Amino acid sequence: MADHQKVHPLNTSSTHDDRPLDVEAPQTPRAPLVPRGSSKSDQGDPAAHNHDHHYPPFQRTIPVTHTKPPKKRRSCCCRFLCWTLSLLLLLILVIGAVAGILYLVFQPKLPKFSIDTLQITRFNLTNNSSLSATFNVTITARNPNKKVGVYYEGGSHISVWYTGINLCQGSLPKFYQGHRNTTVLNVLLSGQTDDGNTLITSLQQQQQQTGIIPLNLRVNQPVRIKLGKLKLMKVKFRVRCRLDVDSLAANNAINIRNSSCKFRFRL
């Protein structure tokens, strides 16, 4: 006997409600949730694209070099050094230009010295076996310059030497020598040498072997150069003369067989 199904009608109220009935909308499939900390792939399911692999393009990594900025102190030192060298070079050029102009205008020449005569008034042994000598030397000083004068200052020194032994010494007088002037000087030199016996024996042997006695005359003279009306700073002249005499006997005529002088100056 079959059961009869009962159909229940919808419950409707006596008052009709105009609101539509709530009908459940079909649900759209949602994307699966992605756990926190993981990234979502734009390609969908990776299993579906195992057969198609896409690799990112190759990028070359260039190392970054960090250059240290130059130190300010070093830059200042380099700048100061450059300025100093530039000023020194400019100063040298200016001095060279001035010296060149003065040389062209005045055309300076070195003075000339010559030994004219040599007289020996004393050359003998003393009681303590030392040798006492007194020479009278005549020197001619020439100034060949047309526009340059020479002031011979005090503090000069002149000496006569034989094989490294100082026989006598003295000094030149203080004077001014004008343009193209020739001055004759009579200079008295005196001195005393220890161990006179050995020195006289050496002189006698030298005279017997060669017939001459070589002597050296040295002059150190401070001077000032006058260019027109301009008087320059003090410099020193050095004169070196080589003399060959026949003897050194006292109160005898001394014959100078050969003489030559070299003139130099230094600051």
Side-chain angles (χ1 to χ4, degrees):
M1 187 171 177
D3 295 331
H4 296 281
Q5 295 181 353
K6 295 181 180 180
V7 178
H8 301 278
L10 294 174
N11 186 18
T12 58
S13 59
S14 58
T15 307
H16 295 283
D17 191 358
D18 295 336
R19 291 179 300 175
L21 297 178
D22 294 333
V23 180
E24 184 177 358
Q27 296 182 357
T28 59
R30 297 181 179 178
L33 298 177
V34 180
R36 182 177 299 177
S38 61
S39 61
K40 179 181 178 181
S41 176
D42 294 336
Q43 302 294 333
D45 189 2
H49 301 280
N50 288 334
H51 63 280
D52 190 7
H53 297 280
H54 296 280
Y55 296 97
F58 177 75
Q59 296 181 354
R60 183 177 179 181
T61 304
I62 301 177
V64 180
T65 57
H66 300 280
T67 58
K68 296 182 179 180
K71 295 183 179 180
K72 186 176 181 180
R73 183 178 180 182
R74 182 180 299 178
S75 177
C76 294
C77 292
C78 293
R79 187 178 302 174
F80 175 77
L81 182 60
C82 292
W83 275 104
T84 303
L85 293 177
S86 300
L87 290 177
L88 287 177
L89 181 60
L90 181 60
L91 181 62
I92 292 173
L93 292 176
V94 170
I95 293 176
V98 172
I101 294 173
L102 292 178
Y103 181 82
L104 293 176
V105 172
F106 294 97
Q107 297 180 356
K109 299 178 182 179
L110 291 175
K112 297 180 179 180
F113 270 60
S114 63
I115 308 300
D116 298 332
T117 61
L118 175 62
Q119 295 180 355
I120 300 177
T121 58
R122 185 177 183 183
F123 196 79
N124 52 19
L125 294 173
T126 61
N127 294 330
N128 57 359
S129 298
S130 61
L131 180 63
S132 178
T134 302
F135 290 8
N136 190 359
V137 183
T138 303
I139 301 175
T140 300
R142 297 180 178 88
N143 180 15
N145 295 281
K146 298 179 181 180
K147 302 178 182 180
V148 179
V150 181
Y151 288 92
Y152 286 80
E153 302 287 344
S156 65
H157 184 266
I158 179 173
S159 58
V160 177
W161 298 72
Y162 168 73
T163 63
I165 300 174
N166 188 2
L167 300 178
C168 52
Q169 59 274 338
S171 61
L172 294 177
K174 184 179 179 180
F175 67 100
Y176 170 74
Q177 192 172 31
H179 311 152
R180 289 189 170 182
N181 177 266
T182 299
T183 304
V184 179
L185 305 172
N186 293 318
V187 183
L188 184 64
L189 308 176
S190 61
Q192 192 168 352
T193 306
D194 296 334
D195 197 5
N197 292 322
T198 304
L199 179 57
I200 289 179
T201 301
S202 176
L203 290 172
Q204 292 174 351
Q205 292 178 354
Q206 178 71 31
Q207 186 177 8
Q208 292 175 1
Q209 293 175 1
T210 62
I212 60 173
I213 298 175
L215 299 176
N216 291 319
L217 187 142
R218 304 176 182 177
V219 180
N220 294 327
Q221 174 67 50
V223 298
R224 289 182 183 271
I225 305 300
K226 184 180 180 182
L227 302 177
K229 296 183 179 181
L230 179 62
K231 191 175 181 180
L232 301 182
M233 64 179 182
K234 183 184 295 186
V235 296
K236 286 187 177 181
F237 282 170
R238 296 180 59 183
V239 183
R240 297 294 182 264
C241 298
R242 170 69 184 263
L243 305 175
D244 293 334
V245 298
D246 56 355
S247 68
L248 290 180
N251 298 321
N252 288 334
I254 306 299
N255 183 21
I256 300 177
R257 295 187 176 182
N258 185 23
S259 67
S260 62
C261 297
K262 294 181 179 180
F263 204 98
R264 298 178 181 178
F265 75 94
R266 63 179 181 178
L267 297 178

Short mmCIF file of all heavy atoms in Angstrom, two decimals, residues 40 55 77 86 88 95 142 181 202 214 220 260 262:
data_model
loop_
_atom_site.label_atom_id
_atom_site.label_comp_id
_atom_site.label_asym_id
_atom_site.label_seq_id
_atom_site.Cartn_x
_atom_site.Cartn_y
_atom_site.Cartn_z
N LYS A 40 51.81 34.49 -4.89
CA LYS A 40 50.84 33.91 -5.79
C LYS A 40 51.41 33.90 -7.19
O LYS A 40 51.95 34.87 -7.65
CB LYS A 40 49.55 34.74 -5.76
CG LYS A 40 48.47 34.23 -6.71
CD LYS A 40 47.28 35.12 -6.60
CE LYS A 40 46.18 34.66 -7.57
NZ LYS A 40 45.01 35.53 -7.49
N TYR A 55 62.49 31.25 -18.13
CA TYR A 55 63.55 31.72 -17.23
C TYR A 55 63.69 33.24 -17.34
O TYR A 55 63.53 33.81 -18.42
CB TYR A 55 64.90 31.08 -17.56
CG TYR A 55 64.89 29.57 -17.37
CD1 TYR A 55 64.67 28.72 -18.45
CD2 TYR A 55 65.11 29.04 -16.10
CE1 TYR A 55 64.67 27.35 -18.28
CE2 TYR A 55 65.11 27.66 -15.92
CZ TYR A 55 64.89 26.82 -17.01
OH TYR A 55 64.89 25.48 -16.84
N CYS A 77 97.29 71.89 0.27
CA CYS A 77 98.75 71.79 0.20
C CYS A 77 99.23 71.81 -1.25
O CYS A 77 100.21 72.47 -1.58
CB CYS A 77 99.21 70.52 0.90
SG CYS A 77 98.97 70.52 2.69
N SER A 86 105.22 78.57 -8.81
CA SER A 86 104.95 79.57 -9.85
C SER A 86 105.61 80.91 -9.52
O SER A 86 106.21 81.56 -10.38
CB SER A 86 103.44 79.75 -10.03
OG SER A 86 102.82 78.55 -10.42
N LEU A 88 108.24 81.36 -7.55
CA LEU A 88 109.69 81.21 -7.65
C LEU A 88 110.14 81.26 -9.11
O LEU A 88 111.14 81.90 -9.44
CB LEU A 88 110.12 79.88 -7.01
CG LEU A 88 110.07 79.82 -5.49
CD1 LEU A 88 110.46 78.44 -4.99
CD2 LEU A 88 111.00 80.87 -4.86
N ILE A 95 114.54 88.11 -12.41
CA ILE A 95 115.95 88.36 -12.11
C ILE A 95 116.81 88.12 -13.34
O ILE A 95 117.74 88.90 -13.63
CB ILE A 95 116.40 87.47 -10.93
CG1 ILE A 95 115.68 87.89 -9.64
CG2 ILE A 95 117.90 87.56 -10.74
CD1 ILE A 95 115.99 87.00 -8.46
N ARG A 142 143.85 96.95 -12.89
CA ARG A 142 143.26 97.63 -14.04
C ARG A 142 141.76 97.36 -14.08
O ARG A 142 141.32 96.24 -13.90
CB ARG A 142 143.90 97.15 -15.35
CG ARG A 142 145.37 97.48 -15.47
CD ARG A 142 145.94 96.98 -16.80
NE ARG A 142 147.36 97.33 -16.96
CZ ARG A 142 148.35 96.56 -16.52
NH1 ARG A 142 148.08 95.41 -15.92
NH2 ARG A 142 149.60 96.96 -16.71
N ASN A 181 140.39 102.71 -15.40
CA ASN A 181 141.43 103.25 -14.53
C ASN A 181 142.48 102.18 -14.26
O ASN A 181 142.18 101.00 -14.17
CB ASN A 181 140.81 103.74 -13.23
CG ASN A 181 141.84 104.26 -12.25
OD1 ASN A 181 142.29 103.51 -11.39
ND2 ASN A 181 142.20 105.53 -12.38
N SER A 202 165.16 73.59 1.93
CA SER A 202 164.29 73.25 0.81
C SER A 202 164.39 74.28 -0.31
O SER A 202 164.41 73.93 -1.50
CB SER A 202 162.85 73.12 1.29
OG SER A 202 161.98 72.88 0.21
N PRO A 214 159.23 78.62 -7.16
CA PRO A 214 157.82 78.94 -7.44
C PRO A 214 157.12 79.49 -6.19
O PRO A 214 157.22 78.93 -5.09
CB PRO A 214 157.23 77.58 -7.85
CG PRO A 214 158.06 76.58 -7.13
CD PRO A 214 159.45 77.17 -7.03
N ASN A 220 142.32 87.92 -1.36
CA ASN A 220 140.88 87.88 -1.10
C ASN A 220 140.43 89.31 -0.79
O ASN A 220 140.81 89.88 0.25
CB ASN A 220 140.55 86.96 0.07
CG ASN A 220 140.85 85.50 -0.24
OD1 ASN A 220 140.71 85.06 -1.38
ND2 ASN A 220 141.28 84.75 0.76
N SER A 260 151.53 84.94 -13.73
CA SER A 260 150.17 84.87 -14.31
C SER A 260 149.17 84.92 -13.18
O SER A 260 149.37 84.30 -12.12
CB SER A 260 149.99 83.59 -15.14
OG SER A 260 150.15 82.44 -14.32
N LYS A 262 144.89 84.86 -12.11
CA LYS A 262 143.50 84.51 -12.44
C LYS A 262 142.59 85.24 -11.47
O LYS A 262 142.81 85.23 -10.25
CB LYS A 262 143.28 83.00 -12.36
CG LYS A 262 144.05 82.22 -13.40
CD LYS A 262 143.76 80.73 -13.29
CE LYS A 262 144.52 79.94 -14.36
NZ LYS A 262 144.25 78.48 -14.27
#
